[in-house]
């Protein structure tokens, strides 16, 4: 499943932070390269997953306080594609008003980005998908955006628990267990499988 084939499916030769999008009509980089976005609840491990995928220790900022990443951050990789770190949604302590602003920004970006090839949707393997998670997945299905579901923080569970939880979550989302990638930023488990899935989205 997540075993490495020995050949890196996503070799990172260069990467560069190219900026943040703060509001729906605000600045964004020219949409001239394929984009893959990473979406999920606040604190689910998006920035950590990006660092693991890119094999960098601290490229995307990892936050101790949930809700830190507030803008949409764009990272140009190998000069050929762009990875997009979306702000986390569903953080309880954020005011309703602010949530709507964030939600609007995320929806608008996903809906209007002409080169967005797909979205990696992160879910914490220990938790059942929330209404926010389901809303996001329904939205992506509605607009027919290719989506890769990735279960984060697998290192926090035993092997048996990982199998149980990933089957349960897949069932809840009406997915085949094979459509779900089990991942850990702490151990690197699932990195190559995700890299492979991301590369194949990019070349579609
Ligand atoms: P926001 O930007 O605030 O929405 O959060 P995020 O989704 O980018 O999460 P981030 O990567 O900042 O990680 C949040 C917390 O979870 C940090 O304390 C990480 O160290 C921890 N974390 C992330 N990935 C993993 C993982 O695979 N395993 C474990 N055990 N902890 C993780
Ligand atoms: Mg983050």
């Amino acid at each position: 499943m997540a075993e490495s084939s020995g050949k890196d499916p996503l070799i990172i030769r260069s990467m560069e932070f190219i900026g943040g999008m703060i509001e729906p009509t605000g600045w964004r980089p020219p949409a001239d390269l394929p984009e893959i976005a990473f979406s999920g609840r606040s604190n689910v491990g998006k920035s950590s997953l990006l660092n693991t995928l890119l094999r960098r220790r601290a490229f995307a900022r990892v936050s101790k306080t949930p809700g830190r990443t507030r803008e949409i951050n764009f990272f140009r990789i190998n000069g050929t594609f762009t990875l997009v770190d979306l702000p986390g949604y569903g953080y309880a302590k954020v005011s309703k008003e602010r949530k709507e602003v964030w939600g609007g920004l995320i929806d608008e970006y996903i809906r209007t980005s002409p080169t967005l090839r797909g979205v990696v949707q992160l879910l914490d393997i220990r938790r059942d998908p929330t209404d926010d998670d389901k809303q996001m997945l329904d939205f992506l299905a509605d607009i027919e955006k290719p989506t890769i579901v990735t279960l984060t923080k697998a290192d926090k569970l035993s092997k048996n628990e990982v199998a149980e939880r990933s089957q349960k979550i897949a069932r809840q989302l009406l997915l085949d267990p094979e459509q779900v990638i089990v991942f850990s930023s702490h151990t690197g488990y699932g990195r190559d499988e995700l890299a492979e899935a991301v590369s194949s989205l990019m070349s579609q």
Side-chain angles (χ1 to χ4, degrees), residues 90-114:
Y91 181 52
K93 280 193 190 144
V94 173
S95 73
K96 189 159 175 253
E97 226 167 285
R98 179 168 242 163
K99 269 186 196 162
E100 274 160 19
V101 173
W102 284 4
L105 176 63
I106 297 170
D107 282 20
E108 189 67 15
Y109 162 75
I110 291 174
R111 220 190 291 276
T112 62
S113 180

Side-chain angles (χ1 to χ4, degrees), residues 42-43 45-48 63 67-69 153 155-156 185-186:
S42 187
N43 211 38
K46 287 180 301 303
S47 301
S48 304
S63 42
R68 265 280 292 281
T69 314
K153 308 195 186 184
D155 57 280
K156 298 226 185 197
S185 294
H186 283 195

Side-chain angles (χ1 to χ4, degrees), residues 110-128:
I110 291 174
R111 220 190 291 276
T112 62
S113 180
T115 55
L116 181 62
R117 294 287 163 82
V119 174
V120 179
Q121 174 66 40
L122 279 63
L123 301 169
D124 187 322
I125 194 163
R126 298 164 300 167
R127 305 204 155 78
D128 289 337

Side-chain angles (χ1 to χ4, degrees), residues 24-64:
T25 54
W27 179 90
R28 58 150 293 148
D32 50 2
L33 293 175
E35 293 175 358
I36 304 282
F38 295 79
S39 150
R41 280 169 69 75
S42 187
N43 211 38
V44 69
K46 287 180 301 303
S47 301
S48 304
L49 173 138
L50 273 169
N51 288 329
T52 303
L53 185 64
L54 299 173
R55 301 189 187 284
R56 294 301 185 277
R57 201 158 277 188
F59 189 61
R61 210 186 301 127
V62 171
S63 42
K64 293 259 182 310

Side-chain angles (χ1 to χ4, degrees), residues 17 19-21 69-75 83-87:
F17 171 64
M21 179 180 183
T69 314
R70 290 184 183 174
E71 59 285 309
I72 298 181
N73 288 319
F74 295 86
F75 303 94
L83 298 184
V84 183
D85 189 9
L86 298 172

